[in-house]
Amino acid sequence: MGIMVLDIGGTAMKSAIYENGTLSDIRETPTEALQGGSHVVERAKAIIADYRRTHTFDRIGISTAGQVNPTDGSIIYANENIPGYTGTRLKDIMEEAFRVPVSVQNDVNAAAIGEAVFGAGKGHDNFACLTYGTGVGGAIFIKGQLYSGCSFSAGEFGAIVVHPEERDPHKDMFSGCYERYASTTALVKRAMEADSTLSNGRLIFARMDEPAVKNIIDNWIMEIVNGLIIITHMLNPSCIILGGGVMEQPYVLNHIREKLYENIMPSFRHVKIEKAKLGNQAGMLGAAVLDSH
């Protein structure tokens, strides 16, 4: 019997049936996140109910945006990308609706679990996983297990302060922080300040042969590296897995490796910098095996 898996993101919900190591009947549905947490939950329930018409499953695994308490399956905190989602008791709601066991995990943690079992983390007991997109998300594996911290929120690498001169937490809790400089959002913002037509990563990298654009990209890559220097020296991982669509650009990964190794102590240069292998299926695959991690 299969496992129903759902990956709730700010833009889309990805869903599938997991059985014998593979995903089938993969679908993608707009989240409509700005309509609020209650709407998102009802949308998720409708997706699962639709699968139940044609599939049987004895468990549900959910990967979701927001900080999650995996013990009780509730949303500890979610920002205004999904208004009113904080406090949602997702596990209880889904178990009451579908009468099967439900596991819930933060989306980046779920993706890291997916990479650990099926992807770039295989063979690495101690690794960090970061995703670069709207913000910067992170997860930590220690001795083969996800490290959650005392309140299930470990791995908030996006909150590392890398520019203290810009820090003003009263105005913006993430001011001066890593995700304000290393996210894909930060790259696009910097590029649009120079040329308003450079409105996404694809357009930026298409013009990388222009010196001014390449300089913007190189400066952004150094912002990524600055955070990875801290993470490498702090955690001493054997591998750091980098995800997000922008990491599909070979130049980015190669330049990160080059600059990182120049900037870390020789005794740490064994660390491997790997691209996430599972793409947009990582969260669903991780959700499928939550009970084992």
Side-chain angles (χ1 to χ4, degrees):
M1 191 174 288
I3 298 169
M4 175 74 224
V5 294
L6 189 67
D7 184 8
I8 302 172
T11 302
M13 294 190 200
K14 294 180 283 291
S15 55
I17 297 294
Y18 172 87
E19 196 165 13
N20 299 323
T22 60
L23 298 172
S24 63
D25 196 0
I26 299 170
R27 308 176 193 176
E28 189 165 308
T29 308
T31 305
E32 300 178 354
L34 292 180
Q35 294 193 39
S38 296
H39 177 79
V40 169
V41 170
E42 291 305 311
R43 207 155 170 76
K45 285 166 68 176
I47 290 168
I48 296 169
D50 193 54
Y51 272 88
R52 201 169 224 183
R53 295 188 179 97
T54 52
H55 299 278
T56 56
F57 49 85
D58 57 6
R59 190 165 71 78
I60 298 170
I62 299 176
S63 159
T64 180
Q67 295 176 0
V68 173
N69 178 340
T71 303
D72 65 12
S74 64
I75 308 302
I76 299 170
Y77 172 77
N79 61 26
E80 286 309 301
N81 290 337
I82 308 181
Y85 199 39
T86 299
T88 300
R89 300 189 68 82
L90 200 53
K91 175 182 169 73
D92 290 347
I93 291 168
M94 295 304 180
E95 287 186 342
E96 182 177 347
F98 298 103
R99 301 299 175 183
V100 296
V102 176
S103 300
V104 184
Q105 182 56 272
N106 161 265
D107 52 1
V108 181
N109 285 344
I113 291 168
E115 292 290 342
V117 176
F118 303 101
K122 287 181 72 172
H124 294 283
D125 285 342
N126 299 281
F127 69 87
C129 184
L130 293 92
T131 57
Y132 298 83
T134 305
V136 177
I140 303 165
F141 258 69
I142 297 175
K143 295 182 179 179
Q145 297 293 318
L146 178 73
Y147 175 71
S148 298
C150 70
S151 61
F152 311 107
S153 303
E156 280 285 0
F157 297 132
I160 294 172
V161 176
V162 290
H163 286 273
E165 72 281 2
E166 300 290 337
R167 184 78 176 146
D168 187 351
H170 300 292
K171 289 184 179 178
D172 175 8
M173 184 53 67
F174 280 85
S175 60
C177 289
Y178 190 46
E179 77 170 36
R180 289 287 185 263
Y181 304 90
S183 62
T184 307
T185 301
L187 169 64
V188 173
K189 180 182 177 184
R190 189 172 295 182
M192 288 187 70
E193 287 171 354
D195 182 338
S196 62
T197 67
L198 295 172
S199 57
N200 61 53
R202 180 179 53 78
L203 293 172
I204 294 167
F205 282 94
R207 290 173 53 186
M208 198 174 73
D209 58 340
E210 298 176 24
V213 176
K214 185 175 182 295
N215 186 57
I216 290 168
I217 292 170
D218 286 348
N219 287 336
W220 169 73
I221 287 173
M222 276 310 303
E223 296 288 0
I224 291 175
V225 170
N226 287 338
L228 295 181
I229 293 167
I230 296 168
I231 292 164
T232 300
H233 286 140
M234 182 181 294
L235 296 179
N236 189 26
S238 63
C239 179
I240 299 178
I241 300 168
L242 306 181
V246 73
M247 293 301 162
E248 297 299 323
Q249 297 287 339
Y251 179 78
V252 174
L253 205 66
N254 291 335
H255 205 53
I256 287 172
R257 288 186 181 117
E258 176 189 339
K259 293 300 179 183
L260 179 64
Y261 295 144
E262 286 177 5
N263 283 278
I264 56 177
M265 288 187 278
S267 55
F268 287 79
R269 289 177 190 161
H270 63 274
V271 64
K272 293 182 177 180
I273 306 300
E274 302 286 0
K275 182 181 75 171
K277 289 184 178 178
L278 303 179
N280 63 9
Q281 294 187 4
M284 289 187 290
L285 285 166
V289 294
L290 287 178
D291 281 356
S292 61
H293 287 80

